[in-house]
Amino acid sequence: MKNLITRNAELSFDEETGLLHIRMLEGADLNLENTIAHYNAIREITGGKKYFALIDAKEYFTMSAEALRYTSSKEVTENRIAAAHYNSAAANKLTADFFRKYYKPPIPIRVIDSKEEAIAWLLSGDHESGEN
């Protein structure tokens, strides 16, 4: 298991399962600059391998419109297979749903109630149907 802490999140990557656990930090400010740094850290910890993003979003954080646009780009999502947000604070849940519907990222994204359900969905292959 590889671990890395950035100014916005704690990252843990399990190479065996391909799960990248992202725990967003309270008050994280994902403006464009911070978001680029965040995804550079993800590339570093995953070594450029394909991965599933398991995102613990219980802490309140913000994302700018520029960061949302960047996050939905093919450049950012090229190695991400699917993403599951869990434990989402109400505002974060709304942001994730808005992001999924408005920015239409090229990967499946779900907001799920628990970590266990999120892992099960990511590893099940159910996201391969192409439904977001």
Side-chain angles (χ1 to χ4, degrees), residues 25 29 33 43 46 50 58 71-72 75 79:
L25 300 177
D29 177 22
E33 179 183 340
R43 282 185 201 92
T46 62
K50 297 276 187 192
K58 73 177 164 263
T71 301
S72 68
E75 167 192 349
N79 289 329

Side-chain angles (χ1 to χ4, degrees), residues 37-95:
H38 177 73
Y39 280 97
N40 286 339
I42 287 173
R43 282 185 201 92
E44 178 184 330
I45 198 169
T46 62
K49 295 178 178 153
K50 297 276 187 192
Y51 67 93
F52 300 101
L54 175 65
I55 304 161
D56 180 344
K58 73 177 164 263
E59 303 295 345
Y60 176 76
F61 64 93
T62 59
M63 286 189 82
S64 70
E66 296 82 13
L68 289 168
R69 197 169 12 272
Y70 176 75
T71 301
S72 68
S73 70
K74 287 187 181 188
E75 167 192 349
V76 169
T77 59
E78 68 183 341
N79 289 329
R80 186 174 279 194
I81 300 164
H85 295 247
Y86 72 94
N87 284 345
S88 295
N92 296 342
K93 186 180 249 186
L94 291 171
T95 300

Side-chain angles (χ1 to χ4, degrees), residues 1-128:
M1 180 83 68
K2 295 179 183 178
N3 298 299
L4 185 62
I5 298 175
T6 71
R7 69 179 99 156
N8 292 304
E10 291 179 2
L11 308 173
S12 300
F13 183 57
D14 182 343
E15 291 185 64
E16 194 173 305
T17 62
L19 281 173
L20 173 65
H21 189 212
I22 303 168
R23 189 180 74 76
M24 298 306 300
L25 300 177
E26 176 68 34
D29 177 22
L30 291 170
N31 59 31
L32 182 58
E33 179 183 340
N34 289 344
T35 301
I36 290 170
H38 177 73
Y39 280 97
N40 286 339
I42 287 173
R43 282 185 201 92
E44 178 184 330
I45 198 169
T46 62
K49 295 178 178 153
K50 297 276 187 192
Y51 67 93
F52 300 101
L54 175 65
I55 304 161
D56 180 344
K58 73 177 164 263
E59 303 295 345
Y60 176 76
F61 64 93
T62 59
M63 286 189 82
S64 70
E66 296 82 13
L68 289 168
R69 197 169 12 272
Y70 176 75
T71 301
S72 68
S73 70
K74 287 187 181 188
E75 167 192 349
V76 169
T77 59
E78 68 183 341
N79 289 329
R80 186 174 279 194
I81 300 164
H85 295 247
Y86 72 94
N87 284 345
S88 295
N92 296 342
K93 186 180 249 186
L94 291 171
T95 300
D97 284 338
F98 171 77
F99 171 72
R100 187 171 51 106
K101 291 174 185 168
Y102 183 77
Y103 288 93
K104 299 185 186 330
I107 61 162
I109 296 175
R110 287 262 173 95
V111 178
I112 298 173
D113 291 333
S114 74
K115 180 178 181 179
E116 295 74 22
E117 289 173 286
I119 292 171
W121 177 72
L122 288 170
L123 298 180
S124 72
D126 288 347
H127 49 77
E128 294 174 1

